[in-house]
Amino acid sequence: MTRWFEEVENDASNIVSSRVRLSRNWEEYKFPSRLGAQEARSMIGCLRAAFGDLPERDGRAYAYRDLEAMEELDRMAMGERRLLNRTLMEKKTPGGIFCSEDERVSLVLNADDHIRLQVLAPGFDLKGCYEEADKLDDYMNEKISYAYNTKYGYLTSYPTNVGTALKASVIIHLPSLSVSRRFQELLSDMGRFGTTVRGVFGRGSDNIGDLYEVSNQKTLGVSEQEILDLVMNVAGQLSEQEKQVREASLKKNRLVREDEVYKSYGILKYARKLSMKEAMTFLSHLRAGIADGLLETEEFISIYSLMIGIQPANLQKLCKKPLGKEELDVARGRYIRELLPDLKSKQEDNNE
Amino acid sequence: MICEKCRIREANIKYTEVIGGVKTEHNLCSQCAQEMDFGQYSAIFDGEFPLGKLLSGLLGLSSPASRPQRAEEVVCPNCRTSYEEFISNSRFGCADCYHVFDLLIGEKIKKLQENASHTGKQPKMRPACETVSSVAGDGSLELSGQEQVSQLERQLKAALRIENYEEAAVCRDRIRALKGEKQKNDEMV
């Protein structure tokens, strides 16, 4: 079964993926932070039984996993694939996850809130994600009654989620815009519109891979449609700006760009050891090169999917054993080498 | 005008006393006024919260025993989350917390969010406490007296939450009726 991220294009829109997340609480129970382990387990059991017919309703195959019983490495790997957030990766209290086979749809039980519904999609499809989430939300609501009041809307553990309890986000690849001088300025401007922009990989200002996630800050007093429009608008603006910077750089320094892309391909295709930073940097260059038509491979390979595959927990899952730092670098090199297709021969002729 | 007590400073306070229908007027400076005993009204001349103290003085609430509860001490009766805990973790413990802390959190939520009231989607299936009357009305669901009371209590709470006092009054009367019946039954047994 193909997972959604394997379908992420390397296209010039630079928009990698879209995500919608809805938080819901069952009004019968206290919120997870105030729920004893026993009570939490019994609630999870009820929810699991209630959502048992989800596959029939949704038409997708789902697997259920008990987060409490799951090994840490598995949780980390799921976190790297964006099925669990950082707090859930480290969580030791009862929890569960329903996850569709393609990993587009997931329902996390007893995390910050009783239910965290997430729909992911490749490319720019927030609307599609929300439509799907909306349907699933109605389905869940047939089974349980939500904690809701007319003033505050859907009630959540954190006051930052209350109201629509909707977080919409889009991941954009910004390799050129992010090195420009006005980038930090641009990011703080985004805050003024009510959106947050943060790096996806790497910590703080030490971004690796040039992927940035735009999401809405506010959830109360704004409608779902307004939230989606806002995030789509800001993401669209960033994507447009990136396009402009890239076009200008191609006109001015085509040779420099070509050199960068081919060198990156060469290293990725032949290196015997790749650190995370190296791999992410070269994959980012490669993605930009493919998007701008500077380089073409024989077959399609999603660069974003490679970026996820080389994260430490996923690599260790693939190798089926724990790996030290150097072993990880070796495994990372091998993984990319094996998956990266050859270059289209026509392209090489053109460059001679 | 000069203060009638010290006869030095300018009088800036006019104090009118009516005792047994006899009206006397005093003109005092603020310093002398502070030294005089005006009973509960002396609070006016204190630097701290003059108006608040005056109001509680007027309402007879100035005794320390009946001092209004401090916000930090407000506790959600359902999940035992105190307002102080909510502030330090910025996390609610249950749905009822929103109701309990409503007045305290309004401004904070406004700062965090676009607006203090919801404008988006509403659940198709409303919480049980808001729909139970229709379910019970069908007779499709037979509930024990105790269950009926607790569901009505939740319904009452929900009605109060949305400030629907008519509905709340109906619930209250039904709870009373049910409780009265129960008492009668108990007595008969």
Side-chain angles (χ1 to χ4, degrees):
Chain A
M1 179 84 201
T2 321
R3 291 179 291 187
W4 72 272
F5 50 83
E6 293 165 45
E7 293 167 14
V8 172
E9 302 269 347
N10 312 310
D11 64 318
S13 81
N14 296 309
I15 292 182
V16 169
S17 67
S18 304
R19 174 177 79 156
V20 157
R21 196 211 64 200
L22 290 177
S23 303
R24 296 290 186 253
N25 284 291
W26 190 358
E27 59 134 21
E28 298 285 321
Y29 289 84
K30 289 174 215 160
F31 293 160
S33 66
R34 290 272 155 183
L35 218 51
Q38 214 43 52
E39 227 179 331
R41 281 189 206 106
S42 99
M43 181 196 73
I44 293 166
C46 293
L47 288 175
R48 193 185 165 185
F51 301 148
D53 63 348
L54 181 60
E56 286 108 82
R57 287 288 294 263
D58 187 48
R60 284 193 176 91
Y62 278 84
Y64 178 81
R65 303 193 63 184
D66 182 351
L67 287 177
E68 212 177 359
M70 202 187 281
E71 276 178 41
E72 200 176 339
L73 186 64
D74 281 302
R75 284 209 303 256
M76 301 290 277
M78 284 184 120
E80 290 169 358
R81 300 203 302 276
R82 307 182 68 219
L83 294 168
L84 303 177
N85 61 22
R86 195 169 293 279
T87 45
L88 277 166
M89 277 154 71
E90 289 153 11
K91 191 174 144 81
K92 301 267 192 302
T93 45
I97 179 171
F98 277 105
C99 184
S100 72
E101 218 176 1
D102 57 4
E103 299 194 352
R104 270 177 189 249
V105 181
S106 60
L107 284 176
V108 178
L109 309 181
N110 200 44
D112 287 333
D113 294 292
H114 295 149
I115 303 166
R116 188 191 79 151
L117 164 64
Q118 174 176 278
V119 180
L120 290 156
F124 204 10
D125 192 20
L126 267 187
K127 205 166 158 273
C129 288
Y130 180 70
E131 276 166 15
E132 182 121 40
D134 189 36
K135 256 189 269 166
L136 286 161
D137 179 42
D138 290 342
Y139 157 80
M140 296 192 300
N141 194 198
E142 284 168 27
K143 315 277 183 174
I144 60 162
S145 60
Y146 289 145
Y148 175 90
N149 80 32
T150 33
K151 181 175 177 189
Y152 290 119
Y154 293 93
L155 307 178
T156 52
S157 286
Y158 289 100
T160 42
N161 290 331
V162 74
T164 55
L166 165 70
K167 287 272 176 185
S169 69
V170 167
I171 291 184
I172 325 178
H173 185 222
L174 303 173
S176 295
L177 200 59
S178 60
V179 292
S180 75
R181 248 177 295 140
R182 16 179 224 110
F183 189 61
Q184 287 309 321
E185 214 177 296
L186 202 70
L187 292 193
S188 52
D189 275 357
M190 296 300 143
R192 283 217 310 266
F193 295 121
T195 54
T196 310
V197 183
R198 57 169 200 94
V200 177
F201 294 106
R203 296 209 169 193
S205 55
D206 221 12
N207 185 289
I208 52 171
D210 307 316
L211 294 178
Y212 291 85
E213 182 170 35
V214 184
S215 61
N216 60 306
Q217 282 173 346
K218 291 169 181 170
T219 51
L220 182 67
V222 273
S223 69
E224 285 80 1
Q225 191 57 51
E226 285 167 332
I227 293 172
L228 299 175
D229 288 344
L230 174 74
V231 176
M232 286 197 278
N233 203 342
V234 170
Q237 296 272 345
L238 283 172
S239 148
E240 195 47 48
Q241 298 242 13
E242 169 71 21
K243 242 186 241 174
Q244 283 176 15
V245 178
R246 290 254 283 275
E247 267 164 30
S249 81
L250 268 184
K251 261 190 207 141
K252 242 169 93 187
N253 308 312
R254 192 179 175 91
L255 188 66
V256 177
R257 284 286 317 277
E258 275 182 350
D259 183 53
E260 180 186 80
V261 176
Y262 278 88
K263 268 182 185 154
S264 298
Y265 178 85
I267 294 169
L268 291 168
K269 189 68 190 165
Y270 297 103
R272 261 42 196 167
K273 242 177 70 181
L274 282 170
S275 74
M276 178 76 105
K277 190 169 180 181
E278 286 171 327
M280 292 298 280
T281 307
F282 298 136
L283 283 171
S284 171
H285 291 167
L286 184 59
R287 192 193 183 282
I290 296 174
D292 291 346
L294 295 173
L295 176 148
E296 216 175 329
T297 53
E298 283 285 353
E299 300 113 39
F300 168 76
I301 177 83
S302 167
I303 302 298
Y304 180 64
S305 149
L306 288 177
M307 286 178 164
I308 288 183
I310 58 164
Q311 299 301 313
N314 275 290
L315 270 184
Q316 293 180 71
K317 284 295 292 171
L318 195 75
C319 298
K320 296 192 174 74
K321 59 173 186 191
L323 301 172
K325 199 196 167 295
E326 201 177 51
E327 289 172 310
L328 266 175
D329 290 352
V330 172
R332 189 174 291 121
R334 192 186 323 115
Y335 178 82
I336 294 179
R337 219 160 53 230
E338 281 169 7
L339 286 176
L340 204 59
D342 289 332
L343 290 179
K344 242 185 192 163
S345 45
K346 177 180 105 218
Q347 200 75 23
E348 281 171 299
D349 295 342
N350 286 349
N351 283 307
E352 266 164 29
Chain B
M1 192 180 289
I2 300 291
C3 168
E4 61 176 54
K5 206 178 165 204
C6 64
R7 297 188 186 280
I8 300 167
R9 290 172 289 263
E10 186 73 15
N12 51 12
I13 287 164
K14 190 176 185 149
Y15 175 61
T16 310
E17 204 175 39
V18 184
I19 298 171
V22 184
K23 190 166 124 185
T24 30
E25 274 186 9
H26 302 280
N27 293 293
L28 301 163
C29 68
S30 49
Q31 214 165 321
C32 293
Q34 209 167 351
E35 284 159 13
M36 281 186 63
D37 184 19
F38 290 120
Q40 63 202 29
Y41 303 108
S42 59
I44 307 169
F45 310 110
D46 285 355
E48 262 186 314
F49 312 113
L51 194 62
K53 275 197 184 167
L54 176 64
L55 282 174
S56 56
L58 288 172
L59 295 168
L61 294 174
S62 54
S63 64
S66 59
R67 179 172 58 93
Q69 204 180 14
R70 281 167 59 228
E72 290 79 8
E73 290 162 7
V74 176
V75 171
C76 171
N78 182 37
C79 68
R80 315 300 311 163
T81 300
S82 70
Y83 182 64
E84 204 174 2
E85 279 175 286
F86 163 68
I87 291 297
S88 64
N89 305 327
S90 41
R91 194 162 64 181
F92 291 105
C94 70
D96 288 354
C97 289
Y98 279 93
H99 183 51
V100 176
F101 304 135
D102 190 7
L103 290 173
L104 301 169
I105 57 175
E107 282 305 309
K108 291 198 172 61
I109 286 202
K110 240 186 250 173
K111 253 180 231 164
L112 275 176
Q113 296 282 7
E114 187 69 31
N115 199 315
S117 57
H118 180 54
T119 52
K121 184 181 177 180
Q122 295 176 10
K124 290 228 166 67
M125 305 280 284
R126 298 305 287 265
C129 52
E130 289 179 36
T131 52
V132 71
S133 57
S134 59
V135 178
D138 296 339
S140 57
L141 206 61
E142 283 292 316
L143 293 169
S144 75
Q146 193 54 51
E147 279 172 327
Q148 275 184 40
V149 169
S150 64
Q151 275 194 329
L152 278 166
E153 275 168 352
R154 276 162 53 196
Q155 203 176 335
L156 171 67
K157 214 165 20 171
L160 287 174
R161 213 181 283 168
I162 56 170
E163 291 171 21
N164 184 349
Y165 299 111
E166 283 166 34
E167 172 87 15
V170 172
C171 294
R172 182 201 58 203
D173 294 342
R174 284 180 62 191
I175 292 169
R176 274 190 197 157
L178 279 166
K179 280 188 175 166
E181 234 170 76
K182 191 175 174 289
Q183 230 161 24
K184 255 189 233 163
N185 288 345
D186 289 349
E187 277 163 22
M188 277 159 76
V189 172

